[in-house]
Amino acid sequence: MTKRRWTILLAAALFAGGLLWAFCGREPVQEGRCRLVRRRADPTSQLMGLAFQFMEPLEDKPESVRNLPAGFRRPCYYEIRAKDRRVPLVVDLAGRPTLCIDSDGDGVLSEERCYTAESIEGTRVSSRSWRFGPISLLSAEDSRTADGRFYVSCYRTDTPAALTSFPASFRTGKLRLAGRTYRVALVDGDHDGLFNSVLSLPLDRPWRMPACDVFAVDWNRNGTFEISTFKQSEVVPLGRLVRVDDVYYAIDISPDGRTLELSQAEPQCGTLTIEPNDAVVELRLWSDAADQHLLQSRERQLPVGKYKAIYAVIRRTDASGDVCTISSSLSSAFTHLGALEFFTIRPGETTSIRIGPPFVVRADVQKLASGTISIGAVLIGCAGERYDAPRRTFFKIVDEKGNVMAGDRFEYG
């Protein structure tokens, strides 16, 4: 009985010691500063929403590719962005898909490692997909190798199709700002193993591929990182600053992504004036300075930098008090925002952009299956920006002589 009692006491002491070690060994949450630890990335999470790269098949073999690995009978060529360079890769679609990437940039793919695809069942995109990796463009001796690893996925093997790449891991930690504790995260969006790639504007690629690192803060403290196109987003392209209410903090990240520090800053600013003056304008802006969600009636002070609107809303009140709301659509917000596509805020200067009315109404005609034609209406603002037409918009079809052949209102359905 005594032996059993001592065994229980020893086990309890060890358990208590473990709890004490875990509690005391845990680094306290600091004001504006934290250490970041590596975690495996979930490609379905919203945190990874801006870290993907989309690669369309090239029409021809890149000139830099000098040869292929043995046995590549049905090659399909691509280019992936890594920091400031484009790296060729090739997928052999003969049999089980195999991928080879020019990791050292010499064009000799016959000396590179080949990655055989792993079959992934039941994704959101397809009933089956293929995944290659993890892949690294860094040498095995490079200490950044683990953070620079990424996967490449494809969803069709019967014909050349688009590929997607996504990081294999991210870094995360906790810090305090103005007395509140927030979880933060960094994602290596350009596969270079570093965490210092700030958004570069103007973009020479579709909006879904910022090809920079990603910064995230769990502002609502619900335990997840949420991405938004329409309002303040917790997941944004990395900039030099982050805005908390009306206070700016400079973002300082160690090159290896192991530490993050946010320090209060007073950046140089300029003025953004959005006209018309009788409307309330809501904008979501990407920037190399600080990501912004603006709700303004006339003008706003912004940190000096380059900006790109990804979503715009105009609200105007007529004489009867009715509010008319016009917004850019998901399909057009990133490719048809006219002067809002790219603009620069300079120190002490005012940048004026007139958007909205007078509008030009254009028909959006698309040919569907079975000979069906879909006719929709879009509004083009005076800065070239494109909006969805409000519901119940009236239209007419006229002939060459101006005779009205038909007229009605657009309806959904």
Side-chain angles (χ1 to χ4, degrees):
M1 186 70 178
T2 302
K3 184 177 180 181
R4 181 180 179 186
R5 181 181 301 169
W6 277 108
T7 302
I8 294 174
L9 288 174
L10 178 61
L14 290 173
F15 179 73
L19 288 178
L20 182 62
W21 178 86
F23 179 79
C24 296
R26 184 180 301 169
E27 185 173 351
V29 178
Q30 303 178 59
E31 183 72 23
R33 179 180 174 82
C34 67
R35 293 186 180 275
L36 302 172
V37 296
R38 185 187 302 116
R39 292 285 184 264
R40 179 180 296 179
D42 176 4
T44 66
S45 69
Q46 295 186 56
L47 175 62
M48 306 302 292
L50 298 180
F52 284 87
Q53 290 193 37
F54 296 85
M55 296 166 279
E56 294 291 343
L58 303 177
E59 294 183 2
D60 302 305
K61 182 182 75 171
E63 294 182 1
S64 61
V65 175
R66 296 164 58 185
N67 63 23
L68 295 176
F72 271 50
R73 302 190 308 274
R74 192 182 168 204
C76 183
Y77 297 95
Y78 301 84
E79 285 183 338
I80 188 171
R81 289 176 176 269
K83 194 64 175 179
D84 299 324
R85 63 188 178 118
R86 295 175 182 269
V87 181
L89 64 87
V90 58
V91 175
D92 181 31
L93 298 179
R96 193 178 186 90
T98 304
L99 180 147
C100 184
I101 189 167
D102 186 15
S103 62
D104 57 9
D106 65 359
V108 182
L109 273 66
S110 60
E111 299 177 352
E112 296 284 355
R113 174 184 174 183
C114 292
Y115 299 86
T116 302
E118 173 189 5
S119 179
I120 307 296
E121 301 289 343
T123 67
R124 293 183 301 174
V125 178
S126 172
S127 58
R128 167 178 288 189
S129 66
W130 300 92
R131 187 176 69 183
F132 307 92
I135 302 166
S136 178
L137 296 174
L138 308 173
S139 67
E141 294 77 23
D142 197 316
S143 61
R144 301 172 290 152
T145 299
D147 285 314
R149 291 187 300 179
F150 59 95
Y151 292 95
V152 172
S153 294
C154 68
Y155 300 95
R156 296 188 64 175
T157 58
D158 58 328
T159 185
L163 305 180
T164 53
S165 70
F166 58 93
S169 63
F170 67 98
R171 286 192 168 268
T172 186
K174 289 183 178 181
L175 52 71
R176 283 201 316 272
L177 288 176
R180 289 192 170 189
T181 299
Y182 299 98
R183 185 174 172 229
V184 295
L186 295 171
V187 187
D188 177 22
D190 58 354
H191 311 319
D192 67 347
L194 298 174
F195 296 86
N196 57 3
S197 298
V198 171
L199 176 67
S200 178
L201 294 175
L203 292 182
D204 60 352
R205 65 197 73 94
W207 77 273
R208 291 182 183 273
M209 293 164 46
C212 65
D213 294 334
V214 177
F215 179 65
V217 183
D218 181 14
W219 294 120
N220 61 13
R221 301 188 293 173
N222 68 350
T224 62
F225 297 106
E226 299 169 345
I227 191 170
S228 176
T229 301
F230 316 104
K231 56 184 179 180
Q232 181 187 28
S233 179
E234 295 183 340
V235 181
V236 301
L238 179 63
R240 300 187 303 274
L241 305 163
V242 60
R243 178 183 164 203
V244 184
D245 296 325
D246 290 325
V247 178
Y248 288 97
Y249 292 83
I251 302 173
D252 185 10
I253 306 166
S254 63
D256 59 8
R258 295 178 189 272
T259 61
L260 166 69
E261 185 171 356
L262 302 181
S263 55
Q264 193 166 331
E266 296 183 2
Q268 284 187 304
C269 291
T271 302
L272 173 65
T273 298
I274 298 293
E275 300 179 41
N277 298 334
D278 58 348
V280 174
V281 178
E282 185 176 0
L283 295 176
R284 265 280 285 121
L285 303 175
W286 279 359
S287 175
D288 60 357
D291 190 89
Q292 301 278 354
H293 174 239
L294 304 181
L295 185 62
Q296 62 188 75
S297 57
R298 174 141 190 181
E299 63 184 29
R300 187 67 175 260
Q301 290 284 304
L302 293 178
V304 169
K306 298 177 180 179
Y307 291 82
K308 170 185 173 59
I310 63 170
Y311 189 70
V313 179
I314 297 177
R315 296 183 180 89
R316 301 185 71 183
T317 303
D318 60 22
S320 63
D322 294 330
V323 178
C324 177
T325 300
I326 300 173
S327 62
S328 56
S329 67
L330 279 176
S331 61
S332 66
F334 307 99
T335 55
H336 300 287
L337 279 173
L340 294 172
E341 277 289 313
F342 173 68
F343 60 91
T344 302
I345 298 296
R346 296 180 173 85
E349 297 184 11
T350 297
T351 299
S352 297
I353 301 177
R354 181 173 181 83
I355 65 175
F359 292 109
V360 175
V361 182
R362 293 181 182 173
D364 183 15
V365 181
Q366 299 182 22
K367 185 176 181 180
L368 306 178
S370 304
T372 303
I373 294 178
S374 170
I375 303 177
V378 295
L379 304 180
I380 309 299
C382 61
E385 76 279 20
R386 175 172 169 169
Y387 304 90
D388 283 337
R391 297 191 179 197
R392 307 293 294 173
T393 300
F394 186 79
F395 73 93
K396 295 179 182 179
I397 299 178
V398 298
D399 61 16
E400 294 85 350
K401 298 181 179 180
N403 299 317
V404 177
M405 302 175 63
D408 206 337
R409 293 183 183 272
F410 285 102
E411 294 185 3
Y412 288 88

